[in-house]
């Protein structure tokens, strides 16, 4: 059975989904649970037991909350049970991803500076030399600017090096994190994620694919440890959907 693209929890009304979960819990020696389609306290306890015994694809223990999101589902039923969509929904998003991919491996040569980093920052009107500007948002803007130029269309992104300023001023469809968690299939390749760390600090990058509750992203000003102030452009595959605290920007209907 494939993941139904929503969190399954106590009180779930789709009995066939619940029966499939109960049967799988029994197969994983986390029962006995009656296969009756009732997601009640007994099934909640069995799910928590399963979560306490297993880790996700990165080796991180599952959160034992008795609810089944994409990550728990992928461990319970296998990653192949999570439908994947690796196609960007518009030519602009597809081209922006190609541009971003071409930049993987770019690194700073100084503190938030470097030949290519300076170009990213210049695209949003900033002089990198000696100013220590964070550049993750500038990288995203530059990628879409290059893609727009190649397609001979107007770059629809708001021109800024500020992640939260981008979110607040974006003239496109916004997918909140609550909407994304309810239906992860709404997140598409080419979407821009925005994380809000509070106190005006954020981070951003471009979604390449969604796999079992995790995002594969291409980001600037990061590192393999998922830093929001790292030293280069990286492809990362360990960001959880639930950690994207602000949401996603969908420019698939703009710039075409």
């Amino acid at each position: 059975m494939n993941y139904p693209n929503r969190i399954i929890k106590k009180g779930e009304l789709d009995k066939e989904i619940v029966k499939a979960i109960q049967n799988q819990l029994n197969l994983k020696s986390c029962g006995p649970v009656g296969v009756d389609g009732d997601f009640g306290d007994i099934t909640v306890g069995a799910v928590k037991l399963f979560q306490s015994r297993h880790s996700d694809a990165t080796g991180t223990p599952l959160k034992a909350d008795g609810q089944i999101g994409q990550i728990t589902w992928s461990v319970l039923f296998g990653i192949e049970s999570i439908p994947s969509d690796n196609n960007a929904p518009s030519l602009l998003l597809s081209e922006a991803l190609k541009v971003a991919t071409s930049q993987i491996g770019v690194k700073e040569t100084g503190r938030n500076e470097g030949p290519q980093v300076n170009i990213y920052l210049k695209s949003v009107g900033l002089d990198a030399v000696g100013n220590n500007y964070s550049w993750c948002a500038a990288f995203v803007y530059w990628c879409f600017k290059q893609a727009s130029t190649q397609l001979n269309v107007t770059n629809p992104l708001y021109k800024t090096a500020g992640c939260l300023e981008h979110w607040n001023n974006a003239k496109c469809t916004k997918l909140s994190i609550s909407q994304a968690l309810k239906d992860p299939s709404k997140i598409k390749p080419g979407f821009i994620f925005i994380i809000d760390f509070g106190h005006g600090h954020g981070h951003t990058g471009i979604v390449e694919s969604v796999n079992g509750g995790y995002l594969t992203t291409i980001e600037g000003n990061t590192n393999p440890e998922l830093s929001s102030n790292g030293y280069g452009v990286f492809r990362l595959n360990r960001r959880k959907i639930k950690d994207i605290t602000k949401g996603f920007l969908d420019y698939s209907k703009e710039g075409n």
Side-chain angles (χ1 to χ4, degrees):
M1 176 174 284
N2 286 340
Y3 182 63
N5 287 316
R6 56 188 170 81
I7 296 173
I8 310 302
K9 57 187 178 181
K10 185 176 180 179
E12 169 63 39
L13 298 178
D14 190 321
K15 291 186 176 297
E16 293 308 310
I17 290 176
V18 177
K19 286 179 181 179
I21 291 169
Q22 292 169 328
N23 185 61
Q24 201 68 4
L25 289 168
N26 286 330
L27 290 175
K28 299 292 185 180
S29 300
C30 290
V33 181
V35 183
D36 56 8
D38 177 23
F39 203 129
D41 290 336
I42 294 176
T43 300
V44 169
V47 172
K48 288 182 177 179
L49 178 60
F50 174 81
Q51 291 170 324
S52 70
R53 291 177 174 177
H54 293 82
S55 299
D56 63 23
T58 70
T60 303
L62 296 177
K63 181 180 179 180
D65 58 3
Q67 300 182 12
I68 301 179
Q70 264 201 354
I71 295 175
T72 294
W73 184 285
S74 68
V75 180
L76 186 61
F77 287 94
I79 190 65
E80 66 279 359
S81 67
I82 306 290
S84 60
D85 182 359
N86 296 318
N87 296 314
S90 77
L91 192 56
L92 175 62
L93 270 57
S94 178
E95 197 63 36
L97 272 172
K98 290 178 184 177
V99 173
T101 300
S102 75
Q103 300 301 294
I104 293 172
V106 167
K107 291 183 173 62
E108 299 174 352
T109 56
R111 179 67 171 172
N112 285 333
E113 293 183 28
Q116 192 63 16
V117 172
N118 296 355
I119 291 173
Y120 303 149
L121 286 165
K122 186 177 180 180
S123 74
V124 293
L126 296 177
D127 180 6
V129 181
N131 288 310
N132 195 27
Y133 293 121
S134 295
W135 51 276
C136 58
F139 167 72
V140 170
Y141 180 84
W142 181 86
C143 289
F144 274 80
K145 182 180 180 182
Q146 298 303 303
S148 298
T149 299
Q150 292 170 22
L151 296 172
N152 195 29
V153 298
T154 300
N155 183 6
L157 270 67
Y158 183 75
K159 187 177 180 179
T160 180
C163 304
L164 303 181
E165 187 178 5
H166 185 187
W167 177 269
N168 291 334
N169 291 280
K171 304 298 182 183
C172 68
T173 302
K174 296 179 182 180
L175 180 68
S176 70
I177 186 57
S178 60
Q179 292 171 316
L181 287 171
K182 287 179 181 177
D183 186 357
S185 68
K186 291 183 177 179
I187 308 169
K188 302 295 183 182
F191 280 19
I192 298 166
F193 74 82
I194 305 287
I195 300 175
D196 183 355
F197 294 113
H199 306 289
H201 179 52
H203 185 63
T204 188
I206 305 174
V207 174
E208 186 174 41
S209 63
V210 185
N211 305 284
Y214 285 88
L215 304 170
T216 296
T217 58
I218 301 175
E219 309 171 23
N221 209 175
T222 189
N223 61 22
E225 286 69 49
L226 310 181
S227 171
S228 60
N229 192 18
Y231 56 86
V233 178
F234 290 87
R235 172 184 280 121
L236 304 173
N237 59 10
R238 295 191 294 113
R239 288 203 184 278
K240 295 180 180 179
I241 295 173
K242 68 181 185 64
D243 293 335
I244 307 302
T245 54
K246 204 69 177 176
F248 301 85
L249 299 175
D250 170 13
Y251 281 99
S252 62
K253 296 179 179 62
E254 284 74 28
N256 291 292

